[in-house]
């Protein structure tokens, strides 16, 4: 049944997007194939705009800026200038790096700002409304990318988004549902109705006149427009009017940071992923290195044994995440120890094929000397051989729901990614500790995992996903699908997924997941959650085929589209 659904998704995608050549005649089902360059993102408009920039001679970094701004307009649920994100890149000569443009806590933020007088977490204020907003990093990130790697003028890269916002974006069925579902929250957060507060239907068009003005000011005045100019004034005024604490000083102080990526080997493949303040790179390394000695390819894909092994590695990695990981500018993270084979084999030593480990009996590992939906991802490969993986976020769908009416954009609710109180779950059910406590100017821990893979010094794969805490496992399962099970990129992203994160102690399965394994897992003591997660992640990826062509994997769970040439 699931196979049928998967193949159906794949055929639909191939029909919709098959403007590209298909020179590989791959025998298995596959996605869009292109010879030179590709963008896979959450919206067709954004993928096309990124590809057009490369057709005009731009590189992957130019395409990144244009795609990101196009997502702001066409995909307001997560595309943003009011949020933040991460980029991992690999140059054609093999040089790698990463950029952190994650949001930060405002200067006036305090450790217990989401606790009431009795010390209980007031979970609403970290999620909805102006107090939930972290200092946005996206515009700083885009200008940083342009300064270091851009080859076309910034004006040329922002123009397509201005045109899109001016002409309007056609609403898809999924988008109409998402906007309509959030109407009440838009009103609650803004204490009034906003531009997007209507009954939307597929085929309607949304125009963004205020956003056009904002983008034009950024085009003229550059980065400082957002952090020190009229846009900063508008943003601060709106946030403060709604009870938030962001000041002009917060915006003026914001800087994106270049960081060394996390790199490790898995069965001859070099995996390059995001370092803290993302937990993605370290957790993916921990999970893959924990399962490597078991030769997972001997077990059928998504079989009981496959799920057991991955769940037990995930359980242990998320327990460590909760205790050790936070903003590296504030906490000392024992990265090498957490990723060492010796440590990970000790962590897996009590794994028992006969029964599930109980999360209540499992804590973080012991490291000697240690003191202590909505996001969006796109992948790009350019004609020169450069590649990049970018995941950006407002955190929840439409972030805090606060809409800067005079600027035409939503603001994030990233403050909920901090641990408001040790042991208290955030909106993803993730529990944290002091390493991820709130502090002024600190970055909140993330799960975003933009990732690039090379083999024998050659680019193999670019991928990433939205999905909060499930990002890590979505990315990791796609790495295994391709490396261990030889799936095409499209087949891989379309496969049903599962997820375990230590607490809550159950395995979340997508509703499309074949239930055949559930009884055997239950007998081993695993709790199953099969109804609450229709979707786990939305992976947009590119695979380099043996003949050098590129295959796009656009996740059928969304309106995601691969475009190439
Ligand atoms: N806001 C989701 C994440 O950064 O993990």
């Amino acid at each position: 049944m699931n196979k049928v659904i998967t193949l159906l998704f794949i055929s639909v995608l191939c029909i919709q997007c098959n403007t590209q050549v298909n020179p590989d005649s791959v025998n298995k089902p596959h996605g869009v194939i292109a010879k030179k360059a590709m963008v896979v993102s959450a919206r067709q408009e954004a993928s096309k705009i990124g590809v057009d920039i490369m057709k005009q001679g731009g590189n992957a970094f130019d395409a990144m800026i244009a795609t990101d701004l196009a997502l702001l307009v066409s995909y307001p649920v997560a595309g943003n200038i009011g949020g933040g994100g991460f980029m991992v890149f690999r140059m054609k000569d093999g040089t790698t790096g990463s950029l952190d443009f994650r949001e930060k806590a405002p200067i006036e933020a305090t450790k217990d700002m989401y606790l009431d007088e009795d010390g209980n977490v007031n979970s609403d204020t970290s999620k909805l409304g102006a107090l939930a907003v972290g200092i946005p990093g996206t515009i700083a990130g885009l200008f940083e990318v342009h300064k270091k790697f851009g080859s076309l003028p910034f004006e040329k890269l922002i123009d397509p988004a201005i045109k899109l916002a001016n002409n309007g974006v056609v609403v898809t069925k999924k988008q109409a549902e998402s906007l309509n579902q959030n109407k009440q929250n838009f009103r609650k957060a803004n204490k009034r109705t906003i531009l997007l507060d209507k009954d939307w239907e597929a085929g309607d068009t949304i125009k963004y006149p205020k956003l056009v003005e904002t983008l034009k000011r950024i085009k003229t005045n550059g980065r400082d427009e957002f952090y020190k100019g009229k846009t900063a004034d508008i943003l601060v005024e709106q946030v403060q009017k709604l009870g938030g604490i962001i000041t002009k000083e917060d915006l003026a102080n914001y800087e994106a940071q270049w960081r060394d990526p996390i790199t490790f080997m898995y069965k001859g493949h070099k995996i390059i992923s995001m370092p803290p303040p993302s937990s993605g790179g370290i957790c993916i390394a921990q999970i893959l290195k924990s399962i490597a000695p078991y030769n997972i390819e001997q077990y059928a894909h998504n079989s009981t044994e496959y799920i057991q092994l991955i769940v037990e590695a995930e359980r242990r990695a998320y327990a460590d995440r909760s205790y050790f990981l936070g903003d590296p500018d504030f906490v000392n993270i024992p990265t090498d120890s957490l990723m060492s084979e010796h440590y990970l084999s000790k962590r897996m030593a009590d794994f028992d094929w006969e029964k599930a480990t109980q999360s209540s009996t499992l804590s973080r590992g012991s490291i000697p000397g240690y003191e202590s939906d909505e996001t969006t991802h796109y992948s790009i490969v350019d004609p020169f051989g450069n590649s990049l993986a970018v995941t950006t976020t407002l955190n929840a769908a439409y972030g805090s729901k606060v809409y800067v009416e005079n600027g035409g954009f939503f603001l994030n609710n990233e403050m909920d990614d901090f641990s408001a109180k040790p042991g208290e779950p955030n909106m993803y059910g993730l529990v944290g500790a002091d390493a991820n406590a709130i502090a002024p100017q600190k970055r909140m821990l993330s799960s975003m995992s933009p990732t690039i893979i090379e083999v024998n010094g050659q680019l193999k794969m670019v991928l990433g996903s939205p999905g909060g805490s499930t990002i890590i496992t979505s990315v990791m399962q796609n790495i295994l699908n391709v490396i261990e099970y030889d799936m095409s990129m499209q087949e891989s992203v379309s496969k049903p997924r599962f997820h375990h994160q230590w607490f809550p102690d159950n395995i979340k399965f997508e509703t499309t997941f074949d239930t055949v394994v559930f009884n055997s897992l239950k007998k081993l003591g695993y709790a199953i959650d099969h109804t609450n997660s229709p979707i786990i992640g939305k992976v947009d990826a590119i695979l380099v085929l043996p003949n050098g062509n590129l295959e796009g994997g656009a996740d059928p769970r969304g309106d995601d589209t691969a475009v190439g040439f």
Side-chain angles (χ1 to χ4, degrees):
M1 178 64 175
N2 284 325
K3 210 171 195 167
V4 174
I5 293 171
T6 304
L7 289 175
L8 195 68
F9 278 148
I10 291 168
S11 325
V12 169
L13 275 162
C14 291
I15 292 163
Q16 279 180 346
C17 321
N18 215 356
T19 51
Q20 289 81 358
V21 285
N22 175 12
D24 269 299
S25 352
V26 195
N27 282 331
K28 50 193 171 190
H30 60 82
V32 168
I33 291 177
K35 275 179 186 288
K36 289 187 176 170
M38 185 171 278
V39 180
V40 190
S41 81
R43 284 285 295 216
Q44 188 177 25
E45 295 86 339
S47 298
K48 268 174 93 312
I49 282 172
V51 160
D52 283 347
I53 289 294
M54 292 192 280
K55 283 185 178 164
Q56 292 167 47
N59 62 24
F61 300 95
D62 297 317
M64 178 259 181
I65 294 163
T67 303
D68 208 276
L69 291 167
L71 284 167
L72 154 74
V73 183
S74 57
Y75 195 62
V77 65
N80 67 79
I81 53 175
F86 299 131
M87 174 183 78
V88 170
F89 67 88
R90 180 184 182 278
M91 307 297 286
K92 61 181 173 211
D93 66 0
T95 317
T96 60
S98 77
L99 180 66
D100 164 5
F101 49 101
R102 180 74 164 160
E103 300 91 325
K104 289 173 110 174
I107 294 165
E108 286 179 25
T110 58
K111 189 172 175 177
D112 55 2
M113 64 188 276
Y114 299 117
L115 304 186
D116 63 21
E117 305 96 68
D118 302 324
N120 298 320
V121 176
N122 177 349
S123 57
D124 258 9
T125 49
S126 69
K127 297 184 184 74
L128 186 75
L131 209 54
V133 182
I135 307 157
T138 297
I139 285 292
L142 298 187
F143 275 90
E144 199 59 37
V145 169
H146 191 253
K147 189 165 75 183
K148 194 155 175 165
F149 295 119
S151 71
L152 298 179
F154 196 90
E155 298 75 36
K156 207 177 170 77
L157 308 177
I158 200 170
D159 272 343
I162 295 175
K163 199 166 153 201
L164 196 60
N166 198 40
N167 294 345
V169 180
V170 178
V171 176
T172 65
K173 183 167 174 286
K174 286 177 180 148
Q175 200 165 30
E177 282 164 10
S178 152
L179 286 163
N180 294 341
Q181 270 164 18
N182 280 284
K183 255 171 41 172
Q184 293 307 329
N185 280 336
F186 290 155
R187 274 177 218 171
K188 212 165 152 191
N190 293 284
K191 303 187 175 132
R192 53 178 289 195
T193 55
I194 62 167
L195 172 84
L196 291 161
D197 186 353
K198 290 197 188 127
D199 288 324
W200 295 100
E201 283 180 20
D204 288 347
T205 298
I206 314 181
K207 294 186 180 185
Y208 296 91
K210 287 292 178 193
L211 186 56
V212 170
E213 287 173 24
T214 299
L215 292 174
K216 281 185 175 166
R217 287 196 306 273
I218 291 172
K219 178 178 169 179
T220 307
N221 303 326
R223 179 198 188 281
D224 278 357
E225 168 58 33
F226 190 87
Y227 291 98
K228 295 176 182 162
K230 181 172 174 188
T231 307
D233 293 339
I234 292 171
L235 190 160
V236 169
E237 189 196 334
Q238 174 100 21
V239 167
Q240 293 190 352
K241 202 166 68 187
L242 293 169
I245 54 173
I246 290 185
T247 60
K248 286 194 72 179
E249 192 187 354
D250 282 319
L251 289 172
N253 283 345
Y254 186 88
E255 297 287 347
Q257 294 290 334
W258 295 98
R259 299 193 189 273
D260 290 336
I262 295 288
T263 54
F264 65 96
M265 295 301 291
Y266 176 74
K267 297 196 179 171
H269 293 75
K270 185 175 175 188
I271 317 259
I272 304 141
S273 193
M274 196 64 207
S278 174
S279 57
I282 291 179
C283 286
I284 292 172
Q286 285 197 305
I287 298 167
L288 288 179
K289 290 174 105 176
S290 295
I291 65 175
Y294 294 85
N295 290 325
I296 199 160
E297 76 278 9
Q298 66 183 297
Y299 304 113
H301 186 257
N302 282 352
S303 62
T304 301
E305 292 85 358
Y306 176 92
I307 294 166
Q308 253 188 297
L309 189 52
I310 289 177
V311 161
E312 293 302 343
E314 285 176 349
R315 189 195 305 277
R316 288 158 177 80
Y318 277 86
D320 281 357
R321 176 196 194 277
S322 141
Y323 186 76
F324 292 109
L325 303 190
D327 182 345
D329 297 339
F330 282 70
V331 292
N332 184 15
I333 299 172
T335 305
D336 293 342
S337 305
L338 287 169
M339 288 172 34
S340 86
E341 265 128 41
H342 176 66
Y343 171 77
L344 292 168
S345 78
K346 279 204 318 205
R347 286 291 274 157
M348 287 296 277
D350 59 352
F351 161 47
D352 182 352
W353 284 108
E354 300 305 319
K355 69 173 185 334
T357 304
Q358 298 302 303
S359 288
S360 52
T361 64
L362 177 87
S363 166
R364 63 177 168 96
S366 156
I367 303 240
Y370 179 77
E371 304 291 331
S372 48
D373 88 34
E374 198 52 63
T375 296
T376 188
H377 175 84
Y378 53 92
S379 296
I380 301 181
V381 175
D382 75 12
F384 312 106
N386 305 307
S387 55
L388 51 88
V390 182
T391 315
T392 78
T393 186
L394 288 167
N395 198 16
Y398 311 96
S400 62
K401 278 66 171 183
V402 172
Y403 189 68
V404 182
E405 193 75 40
N406 286 328
F409 56 92
F410 282 105
L411 291 171
N412 69 82
N413 64 341
E414 224 69 59
M415 291 297 285
D416 190 64
D417 271 347
F418 278 117
S419 171
K421 184 180 172 186
E424 199 70 34
N426 74 354
M427 74 180 202
Y428 299 110
L430 289 168
V431 286
D434 267 354
N436 189 32
I438 303 170
Q441 300 284 284
K442 187 177 175 185
R443 287 176 158 97
M444 52 298 279
L445 185 62
S446 171
S447 300
M448 293 189 289
S449 313
T451 298
I452 296 178
I453 300 176
E454 63 176 57
V455 66
N456 299 327
Q458 302 295 314
L459 177 67
K460 173 160 179 141
M461 206 169 150
V462 185
L463 77 165
S465 178
S469 58
T470 67
I471 293 172
I472 292 165
T473 47
S474 300
V475 170
M476 190 273 307
Q477 284 170 68
N478 276 273
I479 294 174
L480 292 178
N481 288 349
V482 172
I483 294 181
E484 300 285 14
Y485 295 93
D486 198 27
M487 290 183 201
S488 75
M489 198 67 260
Q490 188 58 54
E491 189 183 5
S492 170
V493 303
S494 307
K495 280 278 175 212
R497 296 189 271 267
F498 61 92
H499 171 76
H500 194 291
Q501 60 178 42
W502 184 41
F503 284 109
D505 189 356
N506 59 33
I507 314 177
K508 241 187 241 283
F509 287 94
E510 286 186 311
T511 39
T512 52
F513 205 97
D514 197 330
T515 56
V516 75
V517 290
F518 289 1
N519 269 343
S520 54
L521 287 166
K522 280 182 194 159
K523 275 192 199 133
L524 290 163
Y526 291 95
I528 307 283
D529 173 0
H530 184 218
T531 48
N532 296 322
S533 305
I535 282 174
I536 294 180
K538 256 193 317 133
V539 177
D540 283 345
I542 300 173
L543 179 66
V544 182
L545 300 174
N547 66 358
N549 285 338
L550 307 170
E551 188 210 346
D555 203 314
R557 293 161 180 82
D559 296 317
D560 306 44
T561 310
V563 179
F565 68 96

